[in-house]
């Protein structure tokens, strides 16, 4: 609630002018890891000294109770390319004057858009400390070959009548219903009017400021469907003029009705109208694990039949493919992406139940081994599908939130990452690490055009909870000339028909393997990946 006037360069950490982003080529090369700053370090077993702070995540050499890497070193070890930080600008619900009080929020309640969150700094009363320490975190991530995505929430403000915007020009910054009341497509009591010139100008100048002053590498737009297409495309054009390899994506939906016509909104179905700004694919998300709105609903990876086409739709990144039966896809009955750059492929995020909790809730009779296999199968689908890969923090070692569906203010007891789970579930961590390494090593899993996907992916089987397909790797200059991928989403072993050839195994029944044997069967809830050199 206080302002500071100072020269911001006074807050630059040592060597800041020489800070550079790690090399990055195509958007589909990204493996994004979504992480909350406080969650990453607050647990006693994180081994991190500055718990809950920006600079805590910048520490190296940290270990859990059993000596395994945590925090920054863990992220580097896992092999992801981008760290998506949940809101790190100044948000409303944390009282920065009371650092001794345990307070928690995800941060989707904007107050001051252009200042880092004070509770994540070591001293919120020192206005330059939060600037310097956020820059130190970004600098540290860059040095460790990790890029940084900022989660930004320009679609609404925490306050409405009393917001800073409304005090400047009452009513101008927000859309209204016909009766003059504030419209509410965000379910947060207001929605900003991005199509109005000064609102558009504010958002544009804000993202450019974070890009140039803080060296961030991309933005995730919360409820992007509230914004208009024209504004989003102007943002994309101007940011790429500064940083050509910037990564932009967002939620292609709203949380309620908006007075802005649908055809003008940055919705999922309008993805092809966006300038290579990606949208999250809820089609593959719920195809894999079941509806996020129905805890008991299962998906392909948890044994629900009839989800094959929804998963195939995600495998080809919502682009047009002659072998996808669109009338059987769960949500989208037509492809909406003109490029795999336009789709974020995922099966969980901070919203709703984390994956292992969803599996436990929807499969109450499943054994722990079955649940573990389902988790590995779900992540196998995500990390071998086309599009931009996206993981929620801790999924690689079965992070749980004890069944709390939306933990935005549930506190550390629910949200803190339990780093000792990495020891308990080391096999899952190693498996996911291997999947990420495989994806990064093989362009067959991250094609850059819809035409390549259509020509080079050939589905062989897609019924009875079994999906199999081949990828022509040679065509996209992969060292694997042909790849065979199979997923068994049933609770029983299935026969696997593999085309003739001298196959080698990358993964058999969700186990890494270097043998030359080709299995004739695929285990329950598992993935098999074969290749020919």
């Amino acid at each position: 609630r206080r302002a500071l006037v100072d020269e911001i360069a006074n807050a630059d950490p040592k060597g800041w002018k020489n800070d550079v982003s790690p090399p990055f080529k195509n958007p589909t090369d990204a493996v994004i890891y979504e992480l909350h700053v406080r969650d990453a370090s607050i647990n006693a077993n994180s081994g991190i000294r500055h718990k809950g702070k920006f600079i805590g995540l910048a520490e190296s050499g940290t270990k859990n109770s059993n000596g395994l890497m945590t925090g920054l070193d863990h992220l580097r070890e896992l092999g992801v390319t981008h760290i998506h930080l949940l809101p790190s600008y100044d948000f409303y619900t944390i009282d920065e004057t009371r650092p001794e009080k345990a307070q928690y929020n995800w941060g989707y309640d904007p107050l001051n858009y252009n200042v880092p969150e004070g509770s994540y700094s070591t001293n919120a009363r020192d206005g330059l400390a939060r600037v310097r320490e956020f820059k130190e975190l970004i600098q540290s991530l860059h040095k460790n070959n990790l890029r940084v995505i900022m989660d930004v929430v320009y679609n609404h403000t925490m306050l409405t009548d009393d917001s800073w915007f409304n005090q400047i020009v009452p009513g101008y910054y927000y859309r209204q219903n016909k009766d003059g009341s504030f419209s509410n497509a965000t379910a947060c009591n207001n929605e900003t009017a991005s199509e109005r010139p000064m609102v558009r100008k504010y958002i544009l100048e804000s993202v450019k400021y974070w890009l140039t002053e803080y060296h961030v590498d991309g933005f995730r737009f919360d409820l992007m469907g509230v914004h208009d297409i024209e504004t989003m495309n102007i943002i994309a054009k101007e940011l790429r003029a500064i940083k050509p390899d910037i990564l932009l994506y967002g939620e292609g939906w709203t949380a309620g009705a908006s007075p802005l016509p649908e055809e003008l909104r940055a919705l999922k179905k309008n993805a092809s109208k966006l300038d290579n700004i990606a949208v999250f694919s809820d089609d593959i998300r719920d195809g894999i694990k079941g509806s996020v709105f129905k805890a008991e609903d299962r998906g392909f990876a948890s044994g629900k039949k009839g989800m094959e086409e929804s998963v195939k739709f995600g495998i080809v990144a919502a682009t047009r493919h002659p072998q996808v039966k669109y009338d059987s896809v769960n949500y989208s009955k037509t492809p909406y992406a003109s490029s795999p750059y336009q789709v974020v492929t995922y099966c969980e995020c901070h919203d709703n139940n984390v994956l292992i909790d969803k599996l436990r809730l929807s499969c109450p009779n499943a054994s722990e081994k079955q649940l573990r296999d389902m988790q590995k199968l779900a992540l196998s689908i995500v990390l071998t599908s086309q599009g931009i890969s996206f993981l929620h923090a801790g999924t690689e070692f079965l992070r749980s939130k004890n069944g709390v569906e939306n933990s935005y203010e549930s506190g550390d007891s629910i949200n803190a990452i339990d780093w000792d789970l990495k020891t308990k579930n080391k096999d899952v961590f190693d498996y996911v690490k291997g999947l990420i390494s495989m994806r990064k090593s093989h362009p067959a899993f991250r094609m850059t055009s819809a035409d390549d996907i259509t020509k080079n992916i050939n589905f062989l089987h897609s019924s009875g909870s079994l999906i199999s397909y081949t990828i022509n790797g040679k065509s996209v200059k992969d060292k694997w000339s042909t790849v065979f991928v199979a997923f068994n989403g049933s609770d029983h072993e299935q026969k696997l028909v593999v085309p003739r050839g001298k196959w080698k195994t990358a993964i058999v029944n969700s186990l890494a393997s270097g043998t030359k044997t080709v299995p004739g069967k695929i285990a329950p809830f598992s993935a098999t990946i074969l290749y020919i050199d």
Side-chain angles (χ1 to χ4, degrees):
R1 310 289 173 83
R2 296 288 183 270
L4 169 72
V5 179
D6 206 324
E7 173 54 61
I8 198 165
N10 292 338
D12 287 352
K14 185 178 179 181
W16 180 246
K17 288 181 180 177
N18 298 319
D19 174 67
V20 292
S21 303
F24 180 63
K25 190 176 180 183
N26 299 310
T28 50
D29 294 342
V31 180
I32 300 167
Y33 190 89
E34 182 196 44
L35 181 64
H36 184 275
V37 170
R38 187 177 176 92
D39 292 0
S41 59
I42 202 68
N43 201 314
N45 63 27
S46 71
I48 292 171
R49 194 159 55 93
H50 294 97
K51 292 185 170 21
K53 307 300 181 184
F54 288 131
I55 59 173
L57 191 51
E59 292 177 28
S60 60
T62 62
K63 292 178 168 54
N64 72 1
S65 306
N66 302 98
L68 298 182
M69 294 178 188
T70 64
L72 175 63
D73 290 353
H74 169 84
L75 300 176
R76 189 181 63 233
E77 181 188 15
L78 183 60
V80 294
T81 65
H82 290 67
I83 306 305
H84 164 154
L85 295 174
L86 262 66
S88 298
Y89 54 76
D90 180 59
F91 48 88
Y92 179 83
T93 40
I94 304 297
D95 183 353
E96 296 178 357
T97 68
R98 302 192 61 188
E100 75 289 347
K101 183 182 176 184
Q103 302 178 77
Y104 188 90
N105 204 280
W106 281 344
Y108 293 94
D109 50 335
L111 185 66
N112 296 308
Y113 280 106
N114 300 317
V115 179
E117 167 58 26
S119 68
Y120 293 160
S121 75
T122 56
N123 183 3
R125 295 180 184 277
D126 176 357
L128 293 183
R130 65 182 71 195
V131 176
R132 180 175 56 254
E133 291 173 8
F134 190 36
K135 287 182 175 182
E136 285 177 1
L137 168 57
I138 293 168
Q139 185 180 42
S140 180
L141 290 169
H142 284 169
K143 285 179 179 177
N144 284 274
N145 206 34
L146 294 159
R147 288 188 158 224
V148 183
I149 303 286
M150 270 196 80
D151 198 326
V152 287
V153 188
Y154 296 109
N155 61 76
H156 75 278
T157 51
M158 177 63 186
L159 306 174
T160 304
D161 288 310
D162 296 329
S163 75
W164 308 154
F165 285 152
N166 211 50
Q167 290 184 55
I168 295 168
V169 186
Y172 177 81
Y173 286 85
Y174 303 96
R175 294 182 188 132
Q176 293 86 25
N177 298 311
K178 288 182 179 179
D179 63 2
S181 61
F182 289 107
S183 56
N184 189 22
T186 63
C188 295
N189 301 315
N190 62 68
E191 60 178 292
T192 55
S194 59
E195 71 281 9
R196 295 177 187 169
M198 295 306 287
V199 184
R200 177 179 290 166
K201 183 175 187 287
Y202 184 91
I203 297 171
L204 179 62
E205 291 183 353
S206 180
V207 289
K208 287 170 79 170
Y209 176 69
W210 286 109
L211 179 66
T212 56
E213 186 60 47
Y214 288 85
H215 302 180
V216 301
D217 304 292
F219 296 96
R220 177 266 191 191
F221 292 86
D222 184 68
L223 290 181
M224 187 172 69
V226 172
H227 298 319
D228 67 292
I229 294 169
E230 185 179 355
T231 293
M232 292 307 305
N233 284 343
I234 290 171
I235 288 170
K237 182 180 179 181
E238 296 212 15
L239 293 186
R240 285 201 186 99
I242 301 168
K243 191 179 189 70
D245 56 5
I246 193 168
L247 194 60
L248 304 172
Y249 57 99
E251 293 178 299
W253 47 73
T254 65
S258 173
L260 187 70
E262 272 198 2
E263 64 270 18
L264 301 181
R265 284 192 257 149
L267 295 166
K268 181 181 74 170
K269 68 178 185 179
N270 295 329
S272 61
K273 298 178 184 177
L274 293 167
D275 182 8
N276 280 333
I277 303 169
V279 296
F280 285 91
S281 173
D282 55 347
D283 308 274
I284 194 169
R285 179 195 70 194
D286 291 6
I288 290 172
K289 68 176 183 180
S291 170
V292 296
F293 302 111
K294 299 175 184 175
E296 71 283 358
D297 188 41
R298 292 173 296 139
F300 176 87
S302 44
K304 185 177 180 179
K305 295 179 180 177
M307 303 307 291
E308 296 86 2
E309 297 305 317
S310 299
V311 172
K312 285 167 60 181
F313 183 85
I315 288 170
V316 300
T319 59
R320 185 169 297 282
H321 193 284
Q323 291 178 290
V324 175
K325 300 172 185 173
Y326 294 99
D327 57 353
S328 298
V329 174
N330 49 6
Y331 303 140
S332 301
K333 304 304 180 185
T334 184
Y336 51 79
S338 55
S339 159
Y341 288 5
Q342 295 175 324
V343 171
V344 174
T345 303
Y346 77 128
C347 67
E348 64 178 324
C349 65
H350 64 278
D351 281 323
N352 311 111
N353 288 117
V354 294
L355 181 56
I356 194 63
D357 288 349
K358 168 67 172 173
L359 294 172
R360 286 175 178 147
L361 289 165
S362 60
C363 306
N365 299 319
S367 67
E368 278 301 307
K369 180 187 183 304
Q370 285 177 316
L371 293 169
R372 194 185 207 84
D373 289 343
M374 291 173 187
Q375 178 104 1
K376 290 166 76 175
L377 173 57
L379 298 176
S380 300
I381 296 170
V382 169
L383 288 165
T384 55
S385 293
Q386 304 301 316
I388 298 168
S389 295
F390 181 102
L391 303 172
H392 182 54
T395 194
E396 69 277 19
F397 45 67
L398 309 186
R399 176 192 185 184
S400 170
K401 293 184 181 179
N402 297 329
V404 175
E405 183 183 4
N406 276 307
S407 62
Y408 70 98
E409 56 180 4
S410 295
D412 298 331
S413 63
I414 297 297
N415 289 291
I417 292 176
D418 178 359
W419 287 101
D420 286 346
L421 285 173
K422 183 176 179 181
T423 304
K424 182 180 178 182
N425 302 307
K426 183 67 163 46
D427 61 315
V428 181
F429 167 77
D430 288 339
Y431 180 73
V432 177
K433 176 184 172 184
L435 282 171
I436 292 170
S437 176
M438 181 182 71
R439 181 180 183 86
K440 290 167 69 176
S441 300
H442 295 283
F445 299 115
R446 42 189 176 83
M447 291 182 234
T448 58
S449 77
D451 190 48
D452 279 346
I453 292 171
T454 302
K455 288 178 179 177
N456 297 313
I457 289 183
N458 179 41
F459 289 98
L460 305 174
H461 190 100
S462 54
S463 64
S465 296
L466 179 67
I467 297 172
S468 65
Y469 64 97
T470 58
I471 307 173
N472 181 347
K474 188 176 182 180
S475 176
V476 290
K477 298 180 180 178
D478 198 308
K479 58 188 175 185
W480 291 351
S481 64
T482 310
V483 186
F484 174 85
V485 182
F487 304 121
N488 181 6
S490 73
D491 61 0
H492 56 274
E493 187 178 73
Q494 297 208 61
K495 183 180 178 182
L496 197 59
V497 178
V498 181
R500 289 185 178 182
K502 294 183 179 179
W503 296 98
K504 296 179 182 178
T505 57
I507 292 170
V508 175
N509 296 333
S510 294
L511 293 170
S513 172
T515 66
K516 295 183 180 180
T517 56
V518 177
K521 293 182 179 180
I522 183 168
F525 304 122
S526 74
T528 287
I529 301 170
L530 313 174
Y531 65 93
I532 297 173
D533 287 325

